Amino acid sequence: MVLQGTTAHSPMRKRRTMTISLPGEMLERLNQVRRFEHRTASELVREALRRYFMRAIPEEAASPRDLRSLRRARREYDRGETVSLAELLDDLDRLPRVVRKKAT
């Protein structure tokens, strides 16, 4: 995989770009899913990385206080009072983007 990070020219921009190379079949599958879900390739790659990071980072033992907080949060989620972080991030990725002309 080839990675090439670039810094943004605008101080307001928080994202950075990178270039990756993918096997042909993987790129075809990415494009199929992208068209089916009406999402960009970047959105799908960000989601895949978030899911990978959630699985790959080792967990620490939760304290009793943490466990109580988690149980309370689960009840709130089950009642529909909150959304998960993944749901929030997915919703944010689906927001329409404002296309701006590049400064020349």
Side-chain angles (χ1 to χ4, degrees), residues 54-67:
M54 287 188 334
R55 280 195 348 243
I57 297 173
E59 295 181 17
E60 295 180 23
S63 70
R65 180 180 181 196
D66 291 338
L67 293 173

Side-chain angles (χ1 to χ4, degrees), residues 48-97:
L49 286 171
R50 278 194 299 271
R51 291 174 186 256
Y52 174 80
F53 294 152
M54 287 188 334
R55 280 195 348 243
I57 297 173
E59 295 181 17
E60 295 180 23
S63 70
R65 180 180 181 196
D66 291 338
L67 293 173
R68 285 192 302 274
S69 294
L70 289 169
R71 283 192 292 272
R72 185 181 69 241
R74 173 53 68 186
R75 289 191 302 270
E76 291 171 358
Y77 179 80
D78 290 342
R79 291 190 302 260
E81 297 172 4
T82 61
V83 297
S84 70
L85 177 59
E87 290 169 321
L88 174 64
L89 293 173
D90 286 342
D91 287 346
L92 291 174
D93 278 343
R94 293 174 196 232
L95 290 176
R97 304 210 192 288

Side-chain angles (χ1 to χ4, degrees), residues 10-62:
S10 168
M12 297 299 289
R13 187 168 176 187
K14 302 219 184 228
R15 295 181 190 228
R16 297 174 68 182
T17 59
M18 79 176 190
T19 303
I20 62 170
S21 63
L22 299 172
E25 294 102 24
M26 188 178 286
L27 183 58
E28 287 177 28
R29 183 71 177 134
L30 174 68
N31 285 323
Q32 287 173 348
V33 172
R34 180 184 60 76
R35 285 189 298 271
F36 180 78
E37 294 189 6
H38 305 284
R39 297 171 71 185
T40 67
S42 291
E43 290 171 335
L44 292 173
V45 170
R46 282 192 298 270
E47 180 181 338
L49 286 171
R50 278 194 299 271
R51 291 174 186 256
Y52 174 80
F53 294 152
M54 287 188 334
R55 280 195 348 243
I57 297 173
E59 295 181 17
E60 295 180 23

